[in-house]
Amino acid sequence: MNVRRLIPTTAVAGAVALGLTALSACSTSDAADGSDGGKLKVTASFYPMQFLAEKIGGEHVAVTSLTKPGVEPHDLELTPRQIGSISESDYVLYLKGIQPAVDDAIKQSGVQNTVDAATLTTLENHGSEVSGHDHGHEGEEHADEHGHEGEEAPEEHSEGDGHNHGEEGGADPHIWLDPVKYAEVAKGVGKSLEKADPDHAADYKKNTAALVAELGELNTAYETGLKDPATKTFITTHSAFGYLAERYGLTQQGIAGVDPEAEPSPARIQEIHTIAEKEKATTVFFETLASDRTAKTLAKDTGLKTGVLDPLEGITDKSQGADYIEVMESNLAALQKALGAK
């Protein structure tokens, strides 16, 4: 991610003021003119939150994502209009620690129903190398459905880094890449929507159950598909797959401390080469929202193949699937090929 392009906190504060001023100056709002047809106005911070809101909310919600398709979420800069739209929302779903500009704007929005997905499951620390199995958090819910305003989420990020991967003691926010944890979050979101909109609680409950079942099937597919790999090590330019690696007994080797689009150092290339030889790794994965230059450089210098492993931070026409489930299935196929899984 290109953290250097992140909007400064002071600028966000100023933009919040501008957004609220612009909002108060409007003669009508979307809610007032009924453009949403009486639906619950939901603002989602980026795609994994948007997917949950749409699947669980169904026909009763009108979902707006702050992160447009193709935009790297960590680089998001909010316009005054977007900040104003947050304040107009009935319900806001976000993941604290991924997008500092969003975190700051939500904190100042005054929206009653704000839900931080990080409070709905257990976050863990992951460095650039992550391996092993899960720690038995299945079914464990840490649900604070209302995401009380001003409450500290269970993660930290180092100053100047809007996207912490756990290398420096902060918790890894990429919970959506583990279907089990994502299902835990889905349950919490469902409960919070039931409370925010009691008239449609039965539908939210039904939609949540259907999505949790779908995520359960995805988890089973991963468990089965990655049961007997020739190697358990995969290399990625984006250290986003710590929870996935942990869940399925794999080892993620990330290019630690390097922007996905930056050139790796000669020392790191040599280190990856050594790891690849020792662990019989075959592939350097890159993502769809960033350049493949780093992966190709590594592959050329180490004799490895390249492949796409999508961190699912946004869906575009380049994505290997139309939604979260389809892209996760494509990720599974890519991992099976790279790891030599039967």
Side-chain angles (χ1 to χ4, degrees):
M1 68 295 170
N2 298 319
V3 293
R4 59 188 173 275
R5 294 205 301 270
L6 286 169
I7 188 167
T9 303
T10 51
V12 170
V16 168
L18 282 172
L20 295 179
T21 302
L23 179 61
S24 62
C26 292
S27 58
T28 60
S29 68
D30 289 343
D33 63 36
S35 60
D36 288 318
K39 295 182 179 183
L40 196 73
K41 294 182 64 174
V42 176
T43 296
S45 55
F46 71 131
Y47 178 71
M49 302 298 102
Q50 176 189 348
F51 179 77
L52 289 179
E54 289 175 344
K55 292 286 281 190
I56 296 171
E59 65 183 7
H60 304 303
V61 300
V63 182
T64 300
S65 177
L66 294 173
T67 309
K68 302 305 177 189
V71 174
E72 231 280 348
H74 319 293
D75 301 338
L76 181 68
E77 297 185 12
L78 296 176
T79 65
R81 181 181 292 275
Q82 284 180 304
I83 293 168
S85 74
I86 295 173
S87 300
E88 289 183 301
S89 303
D90 299 313
Y91 179 100
V92 178
L93 180 60
Y94 73 114
L95 179 57
K96 190 174 180 182
I98 284 281
Q99 300 169 289
V102 173
D103 296 348
D104 290 337
I106 289 172
K107 190 174 181 180
Q108 298 181 53
S109 70
V111 176
Q112 182 179 357
N113 293 304
T114 60
V115 179
D116 173 10
T119 67
L120 303 177
T121 187
T122 309
L123 273 70
E124 298 167 14
N125 293 338
H126 293 140
S128 57
E129 177 183 346
V130 183
S131 63
H133 296 278
D134 69 274
H135 294 149
H137 294 306
E138 291 182 55
E140 183 179 333
E141 285 190 46
H142 294 253
D144 179 355
E145 289 89 350
H146 292 288
H148 298 302
E149 189 176 344
E151 180 177 341
E152 288 297 319
E155 85 283 301
E156 301 171 359
H157 51 86
S158 56
E159 186 176 350
D161 182 0
H163 183 196
N164 188 280
H165 294 122
E167 299 108 21
E168 298 177 24
D172 181 354
H174 297 86
I175 47 179
W176 67 91
L177 291 166
D178 174 354
V180 176
K181 285 192 175 294
Y182 200 45
E184 290 176 7
V185 174
K187 290 175 186 177
V189 170
K191 288 177 182 177
S192 65
L193 280 172
E194 288 175 42
K195 291 184 178 181
D197 184 17
D199 290 347
H200 301 113
D203 284 347
Y204 296 142
K205 192 181 294 288
K206 181 181 69 175
N207 293 345
T208 299
L211 177 56
V212 168
E214 203 171 359
L215 292 170
E217 291 173 7
L218 182 64
N219 175 51
T220 299
Y222 266 79
E223 285 180 336
T224 304
L226 298 173
K227 191 185 300 182
D228 189 27
T231 177
K232 293 186 176 183
T233 299
F234 64 96
I235 300 163
T236 174
T237 58
H238 187 174
S239 302
F241 302 91
Y243 290 106
L244 186 151
E246 185 176 22
R247 178 68 60 191
Y248 304 111
L250 307 176
T251 298
Q252 167 187 257
Q253 282 288 349
I255 318 303
V258 178
D259 184 295
E261 299 185 16
E263 297 288 348
S265 69
R268 184 55 176 162
I269 291 175
Q270 182 56 48
E271 191 176 359
I272 291 292
H273 184 65
T274 302
I275 291 167
E277 283 190 335
K278 182 182 177 184
E279 304 297 335
K280 297 182 171 59
T282 66
T283 307
V284 179
F285 286 113
F286 62 95
E287 59 176 293
T288 50
L289 294 185
S291 167
D292 60 359
R293 187 176 62 214
T294 299
K296 286 184 174 177
T297 299
L298 272 171
K300 181 181 177 183
D301 292 340
T302 59
L304 300 172
K305 300 172 186 173
T306 59
V308 172
L309 200 59
D310 195 329
L312 264 159
E313 294 174 346
I315 295 285
T316 70
D317 55 7
K318 293 182 180 179
S319 299
Q320 303 294 307
D323 65 8
Y324 171 87
I325 298 293
E326 290 186 5
V327 176
M328 282 293 284
E329 289 171 345
S330 295
N331 280 347
L332 173 56
L335 281 168
Q336 285 178 293
K337 182 179 179 181
L339 300 175
K342 300 291 187 289

